[in-house]
Amino acid sequence: MDTRSRDALAVFATGALLGVVALAHYAVSQPGAFGLNYRVYHVAAEAAATGGDFYAVTPSDSGFHYLYPPATVLAFLPSALAESWIPGYVAITALSMLATAVATRLLAAYVESLGHRVGRVERALLFAFLFASSHSAPSLAYGQVNHLLVAALVAGLVWLARDRQLRAGAALALPAFVKVFPGLVGLWLLRERAWRAIAAAVGTAGALFGVGLLAFGVDTTRTYVTEALLPRREAAAFVGGLAPGRSFVTLRRPLSVLFPSADPIWYAIGAAALLAPVLAALYWRLETVTDRHVAVHGTLVATLLAVSSLLIYYAYVSFSLVVLLYDLPAGRGRRLFVAGALLANLSLAFDTLREALRSAPLEPATRRTVLDLLLPVFRFGTPVLYGSLLTLAGCLVYRVESGSLPLPAPVGASLSDGES
């Protein structure tokens, strides 16, 4: 087994193992977490089926509301036929498994098309990683739609790499339409001048928006924008510095801690300003297929770090993460990338850490010491944030090592012969 396969197996296995631990924790300590989000979809479908306001209803055991565009509730209408949410939850879990199997097959085939063998054990662990990693396990437990959207994103990027632009654009439009933030992948489409993919994405999203408008009217669409879409910015959470227990992976967190009195809009501007030169460097003079994979990874990670994304959304970088575990050549860039991927598997915020230590066989004084030492670390970020930044650093170092991103000459360096 070569180094690339060992690195990939290490990331897949640790991520899947931590995901199983998370699911076991839910089963033992938080059984109410299972179906938490799907119960919202179920009551929304019931309201839609009777002509009610599905943005106003909530399950009896939670205060969560439906947050997706009006057209999406049509997909959950079959759930309204059952009195209980459980059949629908089982169905979405089965669909998530099927979508993950498709994404696994697409990723493995794409990696092998690059000249890297993906054995049976690697395929099995890749499936486990995509289906139940530390990033995917919460979505699986909650009955979320993330597995379906991640599979669509993977399919879209694979098809784009194979120059199947129309189907790529249609696939990429789905996660962007539902979750909004994946729409920033459009930066990569613009960089590649994939005009047919852009047209297909815009057309697909526009058609879905039109379906919702026709099915539910202007008022419901306005409610979605004002009461579901705009509040997703979570700007208020960053006022005075984001609390270390909040499960966000974003550069807005350290900025809010460093500048707690600033208007939250500046955190968004600051995150974009920090990420823009990194993305510009990764987009510079793409000469090889690996250069393009690195640029896609930069796009996906920048998408997460620029917005107020939750830890579970790290699963949306699956395409480039998996591909680069095989495709990045040996060197310091690869070592940084793999280290970042392993660190990012620790998908937890400070509250989760505190809860885990509470059940650990430690003396109270030792527990307090550990928490006091780690609090500053979690105040500025989470392992997912630090790991994501390490993978970006690995991508930049690779571009320098490959010679496609030359370092600027030191100030005062002598001019080469023939220059004046």
Side-chain angles (χ1 to χ4, degrees):
M1 183 181 295
D2 63 15
T3 301
R4 297 171 192 258
S5 292
R6 283 197 297 270
D7 290 342
L9 284 173
V11 174
F12 300 159
T14 55
L17 178 61
L18 290 170
V20 170
V21 170
L23 288 173
H25 170 73
Y26 290 138
V28 173
S29 302
Q30 299 179 23
F34 286 91
L36 184 64
N37 286 112
Y38 191 81
R39 294 197 289 273
V40 177
Y41 307 156
H42 179 73
V43 298
E46 289 181 325
T50 58
D53 182 359
F54 48 87
Y55 290 113
V57 297
T58 62
S60 58
D61 54 354
S62 80
F64 297 128
H65 293 263
Y66 195 75
L67 298 176
Y68 302 147
T72 58
V73 79
L74 297 173
F76 297 108
L77 285 182
S79 184
L81 299 176
E83 293 184 5
S84 170
W85 56 270
I86 294 177
Y89 174 70
V90 172
I92 200 170
T93 302
L95 285 173
S96 296
M97 183 179 293
L98 178 61
T100 301
V102 172
T104 301
R105 183 172 182 178
L106 283 170
L107 274 171
Y110 182 70
V111 167
E112 290 197 327
S113 74
L114 302 172
H116 310 292
R117 184 177 181 275
V118 183
R120 290 183 179 179
V121 174
E122 290 164 80
R123 287 173 184 256
L125 282 175
L126 172 57
F127 172 83
F129 177 76
L130 295 176
F131 186 62
S133 71
S134 52
H135 318 290
S136 302
S139 294
L140 191 62
Y142 301 155
Q144 263 268 13
V145 296
N146 287 317
H147 287 76
L148 307 179
L149 301 181
V150 168
L153 188 62
V154 167
L157 291 171
V158 169
W159 290 332
L160 184 67
R162 292 174 174 170
D163 200 29
R164 300 175 181 176
Q165 291 197 23
L166 293 180
R167 64 172 65 180
L172 293 174
L174 297 179
F177 179 72
V178 177
K179 293 287 187 177
V180 182
F181 75 88
L184 291 176
V185 175
L187 292 173
W188 175 242
L189 300 182
L190 290 170
R191 167 61 181 80
E192 289 293 274
R193 297 182 176 85
W195 306 122
R196 286 180 296 156
I198 292 172
V202 172
T204 300
L208 290 172
F209 187 84
V211 167
L213 193 62
L214 289 173
F216 301 106
V218 174
D219 289 341
T220 299
T221 303
R222 185 185 299 114
T223 299
Y224 160 68
V225 174
T226 59
E227 298 184 18
L229 178 60
L230 294 180
R232 286 195 205 180
R233 295 176 299 171
E234 296 278 0
F238 294 88
V239 175
L242 184 68
R246 298 297 298 271
S247 298
F248 285 105
V249 49
T250 173
L251 279 177
R252 299 185 190 187
R253 179 193 289 272
L255 291 173
S256 71
V257 174
L258 289 171
F259 309 101
S261 60
D263 188 303
I265 189 63
W266 288 106
Y267 305 146
I269 294 172
L274 290 171
L275 291 165
V278 175
L279 204 55
L282 295 179
Y283 278 15
W284 177 261
R285 292 183 181 176
L286 304 181
E287 298 173 352
T288 68
V289 173
T290 305
D291 289 348
R292 282 179 160 73
H293 294 152
V294 162
V296 171
H297 186 73
T299 306
L300 295 175
V301 172
T303 295
L304 291 184
L305 302 190
V307 302
S308 304
S309 49
L310 299 170
L311 294 178
I312 59 175
Y313 293 156
Y314 183 77
Y316 283 76
V317 307
S318 294
F319 170 80
S320 56
L321 179 73
V322 172
V323 170
L324 287 174
L325 283 171
Y326 289 94
D327 199 41
L328 269 183
R332 287 176 297 172
R334 179 178 181 81
R335 290 195 293 273
L336 282 170
F337 186 89
V338 174
L342 288 169
L343 178 58
N345 277 338
L346 294 172
S347 184
L348 73 166
F350 189 72
D351 284 355
T352 311
L353 175 67
R354 180 163 45 201
E355 185 179 345
L357 289 177
R358 187 179 295 123
S359 58
L362 296 173
E363 294 293 330
T366 303
R367 188 180 300 116
R368 283 195 299 271
T369 300
V370 172
L371 289 174
D372 289 343
L373 287 173
L374 292 178
L375 178 58
V377 177
F378 278 85
R379 191 178 299 279
F380 280 92
T382 60
V384 178
L385 174 59
Y386 298 131
S388 297
L389 292 174
L390 272 178
T391 63
L392 283 182
C395 290
L396 288 170
V397 171
Y398 154 74
R399 291 298 308 276
V400 173
E401 288 179 327
S402 67
S404 55
L405 183 64
L407 290 174
V411 176
S414 60
L415 296 174
S416 60
D417 291 341
E419 292 181 337
S420 60

